Amino acid sequence: MSLDLHIKSKTPILKHGTGVYVREKGRTRELESLAEVTKYFPDADISHIKEFDYETDDMWHGNITHNMTEMADHVPIGELTLYDYLWRPKEHGFENASVDYLHGVFEGLMYLKNHKEELLPYEPDPDPKTGERWGDYGLLVQFCISLINCMMELDFSNEYRILSDV
């Protein structure tokens, strides 16, 4: 299970991709080039896969494992938590991307950065078979940075919806 968080535009935007997705260390993402597809699937016949441009209303899309909810819930942002901002934005009045939402996520990121040792116990346990974690502190930090970077480019006089699909 995972969170899909979207920043949606009223008007379509042009994106580039392959239509091939990978799940790695607690997130899903589209591979953007044939070279990337070959890297992840070196023995696959990729002759039927093409790079293409497509229109979408997704300004930004982030995916992160639900295993990170406990850590996010221990990141205070005023009376809310980073969990509230990322997993439950609509329930807390954040239906549209706004400067207030951006400030809240940024405050959460600063808390993550300044309290790393305090938050590490909330990382999910490693898989007993592989020894890999399905999500970790760094993944949550990168998720927030990616969201903030997208929002820094937005013109808030336009309406961008926040959609959290859990």
Side-chain angles (χ1 to χ4, degrees):
M1 304 232 5
S2 62
L3 163 70
D4 286 292
L5 188 66
H6 303 264
I7 304 293
K8 299 277 192 178
S9 172
K10 286 191 299 188
T11 57
I13 58 166
L14 193 62
K15 291 231 174 163
H16 186 80
T18 61
V20 177
Y21 291 80
V22 293
R23 181 101 180 134
E24 59 185 6
K25 298 184 179 180
R27 71 182 183 128
T28 301
R29 68 180 186 86
E30 182 179 11
L31 300 178
E32 296 179 8
S33 68
L34 292 176
E36 209 176 10
V37 173
T38 301
K39 175 184 158 195
Y40 280 88
F41 305 102
D43 298 326
D45 173 12
I46 64 165
S47 61
H48 64 286
I49 298 171
K50 306 286 183 238
E51 292 182 35
F52 57 95
D53 293 327
Y54 59 96
E55 284 188 349
T56 180
D57 64 349
D58 261 337
M59 284 293 296
W60 180 85
H61 169 241
N63 175 277
I64 190 168
T65 176
H66 281 317
N67 291 343
M68 299 312 302
T69 59
E70 187 175 6
M71 183 180 289
D73 204 34
H74 282 86
V75 176
I77 304 170
E79 295 192 14
L80 300 176
T81 66
L82 187 57
Y83 171 83
D84 297 317
Y85 273 77
L86 301 180
W87 272 264
R88 304 278 182 229
K90 186 176 182 179
E91 294 173 22
H92 299 286
F94 298 113
E95 293 186 43
N96 294 310
S98 66
V99 172
D100 289 340
Y101 184 79
L102 172 60
H103 280 264
V105 175
F106 184 79
E107 186 178 329
L109 174 63
M110 291 299 92
Y111 189 93
L112 280 166
K113 298 288 239 170
N114 291 320
H115 296 87
K116 179 178 181 178
E117 294 305 316
E118 169 188 322
L119 295 167
L120 286 177
Y122 300 110
E123 283 189 330
D125 292 330
D127 182 308
K129 293 179 184 172
T130 66
E132 291 187 29
R133 292 184 191 275
W134 199 248
D136 60 18
Y137 166 85
L139 180 67
L140 185 56
V141 167
Q142 286 306 311
F143 187 89
C144 291
I145 290 172
S146 178
L147 175 57
I148 289 165
N149 284 341
C150 167
M151 291 186 68
M152 292 295 290
E153 300 296 321
L154 296 180
D155 173 2
F156 289 111
S157 65
N158 293 326
E159 187 176 303
Y160 298 95
R161 291 177 294 120
I162 299 172
L163 177 63
S164 175
D165 186 14
V166 291

